[in-house]
Structures are given as C-alpha cells and as structure tokens.
PDB file of all heavy atoms in Angstrom:
ATOM      1  N   GLY A   1      92.252  92.130  53.731  1.00 95.00           N
ATOM      2  CA  GLY A   1      91.102  91.665  52.955  1.00 95.00           C
ATOM      3  C   GLY A   1      91.437  90.453  52.102  1.00 95.00           C
ATOM      4  O   GLY A   1      90.616  89.547  51.945  1.00 95.00           O
ATOM      5  N   ALA A   2      92.639  90.440  51.546  1.00 95.00           N
ATOM      6  CA  ALA A   2      93.061  89.301  50.728  1.00 95.00           C
ATOM      7  C   ALA A   2      93.264  88.057  51.597  1.00 95.00           C
ATOM      8  O   ALA A   2      92.954  86.941  51.176  1.00 95.00           O
ATOM      9  CB  ALA A   2      94.343  89.645  49.971  1.00 95.00           C
ATOM     10  N   THR A   3      93.765  88.254  52.811  1.00 95.00           N
ATOM     11  CA  THR A   3      93.920  87.132  53.738  1.00 95.00           C
ATOM     12  C   THR A   3      92.554  86.569  54.103  1.00 95.00           C
ATOM     13  O   THR A   3      92.357  85.350  54.111  1.00 95.00           O
ATOM     14  CB  THR A   3      94.683  87.579  55.004  1.00 95.00           C
ATOM     15  OG1 THR A   3      95.968  88.072  54.619  1.00 95.00           O
ATOM     16  CG2 THR A   3      94.854  86.435  55.986  1.00 95.00           C
ATOM     17  N   ASP A   4      91.597  87.455  54.380  1.00 95.00           N
ATOM     18  CA  ASP A   4      90.234  87.015  54.688  1.00 95.00           C
ATOM     19  C   ASP A   4      89.620  86.261  53.505  1.00 95.00           C
ATOM     20  O   ASP A   4      88.957  85.241  53.687  1.00 95.00           O
ATOM     21  CB  ASP A   4      89.352  88.205  55.055  1.00 95.00           C
ATOM     22  CG  ASP A   4      89.723  88.831  56.389  1.00 95.00           C
ATOM     23  OD1 ASP A   4      90.556  88.257  57.141  1.00 95.00           O
ATOM     24  OD2 ASP A   4      89.188  89.913  56.689  1.00 95.00           O
ATOM     25  N   ALA A   5      89.847  86.769  52.306  1.00 95.00           N
ATOM     26  CA  ALA A   5      89.309  86.114  51.104  1.00 95.00           C
ATOM     27  C   ALA A   5      89.893  84.716  50.938  1.00 95.00           C
ATOM     28  O   ALA A   5      89.169  83.779  50.570  1.00 95.00           O
ATOM     29  CB  ALA A   5      89.586  86.968  49.868  1.00 95.00           C
ATOM     30  N   LEU A   6      91.185  84.555  51.213  1.00 95.00           N
ATOM     31  CA  LEU A   6      91.795  83.228  51.129  1.00 95.00           C
ATOM     32  C   LEU A   6      91.171  82.309  52.165  1.00 95.00           C
ATOM     33  O   LEU A   6      90.858  81.153  51.867  1.00 95.00           O
ATOM     34  CB  LEU A   6      93.312  83.314  51.322  1.00 95.00           C
ATOM     35  CG  LEU A   6      94.047  81.971  51.312  1.00 95.00           C
ATOM     36  CD1 LEU A   6      93.848  81.225  49.994  1.00 95.00           C
ATOM     37  CD2 LEU A   6      95.531  82.179  51.605  1.00 95.00           C
ATOM     38  N   GLY A   7      90.949  82.803  53.377  1.00 96.00           N
ATOM     39  CA  GLY A   7      90.298  81.997  54.404  1.00 96.00           C
ATOM     40  C   GLY A   7      88.919  81.534  53.969  1.00 96.00           C
ATOM     41  O   GLY A   7      88.541  80.374  54.156  1.00 96.00           O
ATOM     42  N   ARG A   8      88.144  82.431  53.362  1.00 95.00           N
ATOM     43  CA  ARG A   8      86.811  82.073  52.874  1.00 95.00           C
ATOM     44  C   ARG A   8      86.893  81.029  51.760  1.00 95.00           C
ATOM     45  O   ARG A   8      86.101  80.088  51.712  1.00 95.00           O
ATOM     46  CB  ARG A   8      86.065  83.315  52.384  1.00 95.00           C
ATOM     47  CG  ARG A   8      85.610  84.236  53.508  1.00 95.00           C
ATOM     48  CD  ARG A   8      84.679  85.335  53.019  1.00 95.00           C
ATOM     49  NE  ARG A   8      85.255  86.191  51.976  1.00 95.00           N
ATOM     50  CZ  ARG A   8      85.983  87.273  52.202  1.00 95.00           C
ATOM     51  NH1 ARG A   8      86.259  87.650  53.447  1.00 95.00           N
ATOM     52  NH2 ARG A   8      86.445  87.990  51.201  1.00 95.00           N
ATOM     53  N   GLN A   9      87.845  81.219  50.861  1.00 94.00           N
ATOM     54  CA  GLN A   9      87.996  80.291  49.740  1.00 94.00           C
ATOM     55  C   GLN A   9      88.364  78.893  50.239  1.00 94.00           C
ATOM     56  O   GLN A   9      87.809  77.891  49.773  1.00 94.00           O
ATOM     57  CB  GLN A   9      89.057  80.823  48.784  1.00 94.00           C
ATOM     58  CG  GLN A   9      89.186  80.048  47.508  1.00 94.00           C
ATOM     59  CD  GLN A   9      90.184  80.692  46.562  1.00 94.00           C
ATOM     60  OE1 GLN A   9      91.244  81.150  46.984  1.00 94.00           O
ATOM     61  NE2 GLN A   9      89.835  80.736  45.292  1.00 94.00           N
ATOM     62  N   LEU A  10      89.268  78.825  51.191  1.00 96.00           N
ATOM     63  CA  LEU A  10      89.677  77.527  51.724  1.00 96.00           C
ATOM     64  C   LEU A  10      88.541  76.870  52.501  1.00 96.00           C
ATOM     65  O   LEU A  10      88.333  75.666  52.402  1.00 96.00           O
ATOM     66  CB  LEU A  10      90.924  77.690  52.591  1.00 96.00           C
ATOM     67  CG  LEU A  10      92.186  78.059  51.811  1.00 96.00           C
ATOM     68  CD1 LEU A  10      93.279  78.549  52.756  1.00 96.00           C
ATOM     69  CD2 LEU A  10      92.667  76.890  50.971  1.00 96.00           C
ATOM     70  N   ALA A  11      87.795  77.669  53.258  1.00 95.00           N
ATOM     71  CA  ALA A  11      86.662  77.127  54.017  1.00 95.00           C
ATOM     72  C   ALA A  11      85.601  76.571  53.081  1.00 95.00           C
ATOM     73  O   ALA A  11      84.996  75.528  53.368  1.00 95.00           O
ATOM     74  CB  ALA A  11      86.063  78.215  54.905  1.00 95.00           C
ATOM     75  N   GLY A  12      85.386  77.234  51.966  1.00 93.00           N
ATOM     76  CA  GLY A  12      84.356  76.805  51.025  1.00 93.00           C
ATOM     77  C   GLY A  12      84.725  75.571  50.225  1.00 93.00           C
ATOM     78  O   GLY A  12      83.853  74.945  49.615  1.00 93.00           O
ATOM     79  N   SER A  13      85.989  75.199  50.246  1.00 93.00           N
ATOM     80  CA  SER A  13      86.415  74.070  49.426  1.00 93.00           C
ATOM     81  C   SER A  13      87.009  72.915  50.234  1.00 93.00           C
ATOM     82  O   SER A  13      87.333  71.883  49.667  1.00 93.00           O
ATOM     83  CB  SER A  13      87.454  74.546  48.403  1.00 93.00           C
ATOM     84  OG  SER A  13      88.599  75.075  49.066  1.00 93.00           O
ATOM     85  N   GLN A  14      87.137  73.069  51.531  1.00 94.00           N
ATOM     86  CA  GLN A  14      87.838  72.066  52.328  1.00 94.00           C
ATOM     87  C   GLN A  14      87.092  70.747  52.395  1.00 94.00           C
ATOM     88  O   GLN A  14      85.868  70.718  52.468  1.00 94.00           O
ATOM     89  CB  GLN A  14      88.081  72.584  53.745  1.00 94.00           C
ATOM     90  CG  GLN A  14      86.835  72.514  54.604  1.00 94.00           C
ATOM     91  CD  GLN A  14      87.034  73.016  55.994  1.00 94.00           C
ATOM     92  OE1 GLN A  14      87.566  74.079  56.197  1.00 94.00           O
ATOM     93  NE2 GLN A  14      86.589  72.236  56.953  1.00 94.00           N
ATOM     94  N   PRO A  15      87.838  69.657  52.384  1.00 94.00           N
ATOM     95  CA  PRO A  15      87.207  68.352  52.584  1.00 94.00           C
ATOM     96  C   PRO A  15      86.922  68.133  54.075  1.00 94.00           C
ATOM     97  O   PRO A  15      87.566  68.750  54.924  1.00 94.00           O
ATOM     98  CB  PRO A  15      88.273  67.374  52.080  1.00 94.00           C
ATOM     99  CG  PRO A  15      89.568  68.089  52.271  1.00 94.00           C
ATOM    100  CD  PRO A  15      89.258  69.551  52.088  1.00 94.00           C
ATOM    101  N   PRO A  16      85.965  67.271  54.405  1.00 90.00           N
ATOM    102  CA  PRO A  16      85.706  66.979  55.814  1.00 90.00           C
ATOM    103  C   PRO A  16      86.935  66.350  56.469  1.00 90.00           C
ATOM    104  O   PRO A  16      87.634  65.550  55.858  1.00 90.00           O
ATOM    105  CB  PRO A  16      84.554  65.975  55.779  1.00 90.00           C
ATOM    106  CG  PRO A  16      84.047  65.960  54.389  1.00 90.00           C
ATOM    107  CD  PRO A  16      85.106  66.530  53.508  1.00 90.00           C
ATOM    108  N   GLY A  17      87.198  66.755  57.703  1.00 91.00           N
ATOM    109  CA  GLY A  17      88.331  66.191  58.436  1.00 91.00           C
ATOM    110  C   GLY A  17      89.668  66.731  57.990  1.00 91.00           C
ATOM    111  O   GLY A  17      90.704  66.123  58.268  1.00 91.00           O
ATOM    112  N   ALA A  18      89.690  67.874  57.319  1.00 94.00           N
ATOM    113  CA  ALA A  18      90.943  68.432  56.804  1.00 94.00           C
ATOM    114  C   ALA A  18      91.895  68.802  57.944  1.00 94.00           C
ATOM    115  O   ALA A  18      91.475  69.354  58.961  1.00 94.00           O
ATOM    116  CB  ALA A  18      90.655  69.671  55.959  1.00 94.00           C
ATOM    117  N   VAL A  19      93.158  68.492  57.737  1.00 95.00           N
ATOM    118  CA  VAL A  19      94.214  68.870  58.672  1.00 95.00           C
ATOM    119  C   VAL A  19      95.132  69.830  57.936  1.00 95.00           C
ATOM    120  O   VAL A  19      95.654  69.506  56.868  1.00 95.00           O
ATOM    121  CB  VAL A  19      95.004  67.642  59.172  1.00 95.00           C
ATOM    122  CG1 VAL A  19      96.144  68.066  60.093  1.00 95.00           C
ATOM    123  CG2 VAL A  19      94.083  66.653  59.876  1.00 95.00           C
ATOM    124  N   VAL A  20      95.301  71.031  58.509  1.00 97.00           N
ATOM    125  CA  VAL A  20      96.084  72.086  57.870  1.00 97.00           C
ATOM    126  C   VAL A  20      97.144  72.569  58.839  1.00 97.00           C
ATOM    127  O   VAL A  20      96.839  72.946  59.977  1.00 97.00           O
ATOM    128  CB  VAL A  20      95.183  73.269  57.460  1.00 97.00           C
ATOM    129  CG1 VAL A  20      96.001  74.362  56.798  1.00 97.00           C
ATOM    130  CG2 VAL A  20      94.063  72.792  56.540  1.00 97.00           C
ATOM    131  N   PHE A  21      98.389  72.563  58.391  1.00 96.00           N
ATOM    132  CA  PHE A  21      99.488  73.120  59.174  1.00 96.00           C
ATOM    133  C   PHE A  21      99.751  74.528  58.669  1.00 96.00           C
ATOM    134  O   PHE A  21      99.876  74.750  57.454  1.00 96.00           O
ATOM    135  CB  PHE A  21     100.754  72.293  59.016  1.00 96.00           C
ATOM    136  CG  PHE A  21     100.747  70.966  59.746  1.00 96.00           C
ATOM    137  CD1 PHE A  21      99.647  70.537  60.488  1.00 96.00           C
ATOM    138  CD2 PHE A  21     101.842  70.140  59.680  1.00 96.00           C
ATOM    139  CE1 PHE A  21      99.649  69.314  61.154  1.00 96.00           C
ATOM    140  CE2 PHE A  21     101.869  68.926  60.348  1.00 96.00           C
ATOM    141  CZ  PHE A  21     100.781  68.508  61.089  1.00 96.00           C
ATOM    142  N   LEU A  22      99.806  75.479  59.599  1.00 96.00           N
ATOM    143  CA  LEU A  22     100.075  76.880  59.280  1.00 96.00           C
ATOM    144  C   LEU A  22     101.482  77.217  59.763  1.00 96.00           C
ATOM    145  O   LEU A  22     101.742  77.185  60.969  1.00 96.00           O
ATOM    146  CB  LEU A  22      99.038  77.781  59.967  1.00 96.00           C
ATOM    147  CG  LEU A  22      97.578  77.515  59.589  1.00 96.00           C
ATOM    148  CD1 LEU A  22      96.641  78.302  60.498  1.00 96.00           C
ATOM    149  CD2 LEU A  22      97.336  77.870  58.136  1.00 96.00           C
ATOM    150  N   ASP A  23     102.359  77.505  58.837  1.00 95.00           N
ATOM    151  CA  ASP A  23     103.751  77.805  59.150  1.00 95.00           C
ATOM    152  C   ASP A  23     104.055  79.265  58.877  1.00 95.00           C
ATOM    153  O   ASP A  23     103.428  79.881  58.009  1.00 95.00           O
ATOM    154  CB  ASP A  23     104.699  76.970  58.264  1.00 95.00           C
ATOM    155  CG  ASP A  23     104.599  75.484  58.532  1.00 95.00           C
ATOM    156  OD1 ASP A  23     104.503  75.089  59.697  1.00 95.00           O
ATOM    157  OD2 ASP A  23     104.623  74.716  57.549  1.00 95.00           O
ATOM    158  N   GLY A  24     105.039  79.785  59.575  1.00 94.00           N
ATOM    159  CA  GLY A  24     105.495  81.141  59.325  1.00 94.00           C
ATOM    160  C   GLY A  24     105.949  81.790  60.614  1.00 94.00           C
ATOM    161  O   GLY A  24     105.595  81.345  61.710  1.00 94.00           O
ATOM    162  N   PRO A  25     106.716  82.863  60.491  1.00 92.00           N
ATOM    163  CA  PRO A  25     107.213  83.544  61.679  1.00 92.00           C
ATOM    164  C   PRO A  25     106.089  84.293  62.407  1.00 92.00           C
ATOM    165  O   PRO A  25     104.985  84.456  61.881  1.00 92.00           O
ATOM    166  CB  PRO A  25     108.246  84.519  61.118  1.00 92.00           C
ATOM    167  CG  PRO A  25     107.792  84.773  59.719  1.00 92.00           C
ATOM    168  CD  PRO A  25     107.171  83.491  59.251  1.00 92.00           C
ATOM    169  N   LEU A  26     106.403  84.744  63.604  1.00 89.00           N
ATOM    170  CA  LEU A  26     105.456  85.584  64.343  1.00 89.00           C
ATOM    171  C   LEU A  26     105.056  86.770  63.479  1.00 89.00           C
ATOM    172  O   LEU A  26     105.894  87.372  62.812  1.00 89.00           O
ATOM    173  CB  LEU A  26     106.096  86.083  65.639  1.00 89.00           C
ATOM    174  CG  LEU A  26     106.308  85.044  66.740  1.00 89.00           C
ATOM    175  CD1 LEU A  26     107.150  85.632  67.862  1.00 89.00           C
ATOM    176  CD2 LEU A  26     104.987  84.539  67.268  1.00 89.00           C
ATOM    177  N   GLY A  27     103.780  87.079  63.462  1.00 87.00           N
ATOM    178  CA  GLY A  27     103.294  88.224  62.699  1.00 87.00           C
ATOM    179  C   GLY A  27     103.056  87.972  61.230  1.00 87.00           C
ATOM    180  O   GLY A  27     102.710  88.894  60.487  1.00 87.00           O
ATOM    181  N   ALA A  28     103.191  86.727  60.779  1.00 91.00           N
ATOM    182  CA  ALA A  28     103.021  86.424  59.358  1.00 91.00           C
ATOM    183  C   ALA A  28     101.556  86.296  58.947  1.00 91.00           C
ATOM    184  O   ALA A  28     101.257  86.267  57.761  1.00 91.00           O
ATOM    185  CB  ALA A  28     103.774  85.144  58.987  1.00 91.00           C
ATOM    186  N   GLY A  29     100.647  86.195  59.913  1.00 91.00           N
ATOM    187  CA  GLY A  29      99.234  86.130  59.570  1.00 91.00           C
ATOM    188  C   GLY A  29      98.558  84.790  59.788  1.00 91.00           C
ATOM    189  O   GLY A  29      97.444  84.578  59.316  1.00 91.00           O
ATOM    190  N   LYS A  30      99.194  83.887  60.509  1.00 92.00           N
ATOM    191  CA  LYS A  30      98.607  82.560  60.736  1.00 92.00           C
ATOM    192  C   LYS A  30      97.269  82.665  61.466  1.00 92.00           C
ATOM    193  O   LYS A  30      96.271  82.074  61.044  1.00 92.00           O
ATOM    194  CB  LYS A  30      99.582  81.679  61.531  1.00 92.00           C
ATOM    195  CG  LYS A  30     100.897  81.411  60.811  1.00 92.00           C
ATOM    196  CD  LYS A  30     101.840  80.555  61.632  1.00 92.00           C
ATOM    197  CE  LYS A  30     102.291  81.181  62.916  1.00 92.00           C
ATOM    198  NZ  LYS A  30     103.125  82.378  62.779  1.00 92.00           N
ATOM    199  N   SER A  31      97.242  83.402  62.555  1.00 92.00           N
ATOM    200  CA  SER A  31      96.004  83.539  63.330  1.00 92.00           C
ATOM    201  C   SER A  31      94.945  84.312  62.559  1.00 92.00           C
ATOM    202  O   SER A  31      93.749  84.003  62.647  1.00 92.00           O
ATOM    203  CB  SER A  31      96.276  84.216  64.674  1.00 92.00           C
ATOM    204  OG  SER A  31      97.042  83.367  65.498  1.00 92.00           O
ATOM    205  N   SER A  32      95.351  85.300  61.790  1.00 93.00           N
ATOM    206  CA  SER A  32      94.388  86.066  60.976  1.00 93.00           C
ATOM    207  C   SER A  32      93.729  85.168  59.939  1.00 93.00           C
ATOM    208  O   SER A  32      92.512  85.239  59.730  1.00 93.00           O
ATOM    209  CB  SER A  32      95.086  87.235  60.282  1.00 93.00           C
ATOM    210  OG  SER A  32      95.573  88.149  61.224  1.00 93.00           O
ATOM    211  N   LEU A  33      94.518  84.327  59.288  1.00 95.00           N
ATOM    212  CA  LEU A  33      93.961  83.399  58.310  1.00 95.00           C
ATOM    213  C   LEU A  33      93.017  82.413  58.992  1.00 95.00           C
ATOM    214  O   LEU A  33      91.912  82.149  58.497  1.00 95.00           O
ATOM    215  CB  LEU A  33      95.077  82.657  57.568  1.00 95.00           C
ATOM    216  CG  LEU A  33      94.615  81.630  56.538  1.00 95.00           C
ATOM    217  CD1 LEU A  33      93.794  82.278  55.427  1.00 95.00           C
ATOM    218  CD2 LEU A  33      95.811  80.891  55.957  1.00 95.00           C
TER     219      LEU A  33
END
C-alpha cells in the first residue's frame, strides 16, 4: 500500500516528459511502483 501511495504521489506531481530511472535488485519493487 505504501508503494502504491508513492506511485500515486509521484504521478500527481511529475513534470511533463519526466524520465525516471528505477534501480534495485530483483524483487525490490520496481515493477510494482
């Protein structure tokens, strides 16, 4: 739920054309975010 909330927060504040790199090991939650 906290991961989903972060995704919503970032979506609501992102600038147009934003480029985001998601780093972390397998299973860290990149795809979930």
Side-chain angles (χ1 to χ4, degrees):
T3 301
D4 291 351
L6 178 60
R8 288 189 302 273
Q9 187 176 42
L10 291 165
S13 61
Q14 78 180 49
V19 177
V20 180
F21 286 1
L22 301 171
D23 295 319
L26 289 171
K30 298 179 297 294
S31 292
S32 296
L33 179 61

